[in-house]
Amino acid sequence: MHLRLLAPLALSAVLLAAAAPPVLGQTVIPAGCPASKTLAKLNAPLARTAAKLRAGEPVVIVAIGSSSTAGAGASVPGAAYPSRLEAMLRERFPAADITVVNRGVNGQDAPEMLARFDTDVAALKPTLVIWQSGVNALFRDNGLAAAAGLLHEAIARVKAINADLVLVDPQYAPRVLADADSGPMVNLIASIGAEEGVAVYHRFALMRDWHETSAMGFDSFLWKDKFHMNDWGYNCFARDLGRAVVANVESLQRSADVSPAATAAKPGLAPASAAVRPAATAVSASVTP
């Protein structure tokens, strides 16, 4: 073939390769997430987080959990959900100082997390703690029976350091579904969250929605072990969790804007709808708590 023909052909090959869709599980920031039927909503206020963001103070979020917090199944550490959550929150609050610290350890359950709480969580003086729980308990003897007491202790420890808390329930995956205690565990976490007045993020419901409503096969959002998430799954989980946090925070901030105390302090205060930027209004409109 004439040499002059080789360059255009080579360029075409490069362009085609660049245009090819990424392989799931091999990209840090995957394609867009499906529109979930499950509202990104937290059932308890993140008052400290909202107040610090409003005051322009640094916000430290500690994500504690097991392998699905550490990022097992992700192609690189930056694809784990805590890193993706930090990126999403910084995108939404570009002027804020927000740090999400990953304190996930493979294979751990609540007893091991409680044992390292002081050094891995309390020492960082977090504004918000995201506690992923209930997964590995399913694979242990009497895991469900012991879960309630451990959850109450975890909540007490977080309240004692004056931090907000979000509990994250198990992932929706074949290995989890195969355990008869998976449904009761999800229900237990929800009921304890309501009893204690702390927020619960329903990861199980989100992933079930991907599979049942969006008709996505498990291979689309899970790693090859059919248990941990891949890059796509971690990213979309983090973005949905982030939307829930943003909606919660913005709702609290709007309430503060129109409270009698705030109005007295700021006589010229604009209505709450005007105090929120247009982009924030668009986010909150679909997921307002």
Side-chain angles (χ1 to χ4, degrees), residues 143-166:
L144 180 61
L150 292 167
L151 273 173
H152 283 298
E153 183 178 351
I155 292 168
R157 298 283 289 275
V158 174
K159 287 182 176 180
I161 62 170
N162 202 34
D164 291 330
L165 174 62
V166 175

Side-chain angles (χ1 to χ4, degrees), residues 12 56 85 102 131 135 196 224 274:
S12 298
L85 176 63
N102 189 337
W131 195 300
V135 181
E196 291 271 11
K224 60 187 178 182

Side-chain angles (χ1 to χ4, degrees), residues 62-71 81 101-124 129-140 147 149-151 153-158 161 165-171 185 189 203 227-228:
V62 176
I64 185 169
S66 57
S67 54
S68 63
T69 296
Y81 101 76
V101 183
N102 189 337
R103 286 294 182 261
V105 176
N106 292 345
Q108 288 200 343
D109 191 19
E112 294 88 356
M113 296 177 209
L114 287 167
R116 60 186 175 91
F117 181 86
D118 289 344
T119 55
D120 279 10
V121 180
L124 299 174
V129 176
I130 301 175
W131 195 300
Q132 168 245 312
S133 62
V135 181
N136 288 327
L138 294 171
F139 310 128
R140 301 187 179 190
L150 292 167
L151 273 173
E153 183 178 351
I155 292 168
R157 298 283 289 275
V158 174
I161 62 170
L165 174 62
V166 175
L167 299 175
V168 176
D169 64 16
Q171 64 260 46
M185 180 66 78
I189 294 170
R203 176 175 54 164
F227 180 56
H228 297 101

Side-chain angles (χ1 to χ4, degrees), residues 6-263:
L6 289 176
L9 288 172
L11 178 59
S12 298
V14 171
L15 292 175
L16 286 172
V23 177
L24 290 173
Q26 294 182 357
T27 176
V28 175
I29 307 176
C33 307
S36 175
K37 304 300 182 185
T38 304
L39 289 177
K41 182 177 180 180
L42 299 176
N43 58 323
L46 305 180
R48 298 167 185 83
T49 306
K52 285 208 168 188
L53 284 170
R54 184 180 180 84
E57 298 176 3
V59 170
V60 175
I61 300 172
V62 176
I64 185 169
S66 57
S67 54
S68 63
T69 296
S75 60
V76 294
Y81 101 76
S83 294
R84 303 308 311 140
L85 176 63
E86 181 180 282
M88 186 271 188
L89 293 176
R90 286 184 173 184
E91 176 186 320
R92 174 58 195 85
F93 301 107
D97 181 359
I98 300 173
T99 303
V100 181
V101 183
N102 189 337
R103 286 294 182 261
V105 176
N106 292 345
Q108 288 200 343
D109 191 19
E112 294 88 356
M113 296 177 209
L114 287 167
R116 60 186 175 91
F117 181 86
D118 289 344
T119 55
D120 279 10
V121 180
L124 299 174
K125 298 183 178 178
T127 311
L128 168 63
V129 176
I130 301 175
W131 195 300
Q132 168 245 312
S133 62
V135 181
N136 288 327
L138 294 171
F139 310 128
R140 301 187 179 190
D141 292 339
N142 299 317
L144 180 61
L150 292 167
L151 273 173
H152 283 298
E153 183 178 351
I155 292 168
R157 298 283 289 275
V158 174
K159 287 182 176 180
I161 62 170
N162 202 34
D164 291 330
L165 174 62
V166 175
L167 299 175
V168 176
D169 64 16
Q171 64 260 46
Y172 184 86
R175 283 178 57 188
V176 175
L177 296 172
D179 194 300
D181 287 338
S182 60
M185 180 66 78
V186 169
N187 293 334
L188 176 68
I189 294 170
S191 64
I192 289 178
E195 177 187 342
E196 291 271 11
V198 300
V200 177
Y201 178 81
H202 302 285
R203 176 175 54 164
F204 188 90
L206 174 74
M207 297 176 70
R208 181 177 58 198
D209 191 61
W210 293 345
H211 184 61
E212 295 183 356
T213 304
S214 298
M216 297 176 64
F218 285 114
D219 288 340
S220 299
F221 54 85
L222 295 179
W223 194 45
K224 60 187 178 182
D225 65 358
K226 301 293 189 294
F227 180 56
H228 297 101
M229 282 182 271
N230 57 21
D231 287 357
W232 189 97
Y234 282 125
N235 183 67
C236 290
F237 159 46
R239 294 195 71 81
D240 197 72
L241 173 59
R243 283 193 292 271
V245 171
V246 167
N248 191 288
V249 164
E250 289 181 344
S251 177
L252 288 167
Q253 290 179 340
R254 287 195 297 273
S255 297
D257 281 343
V258 298
S259 68
T263 304

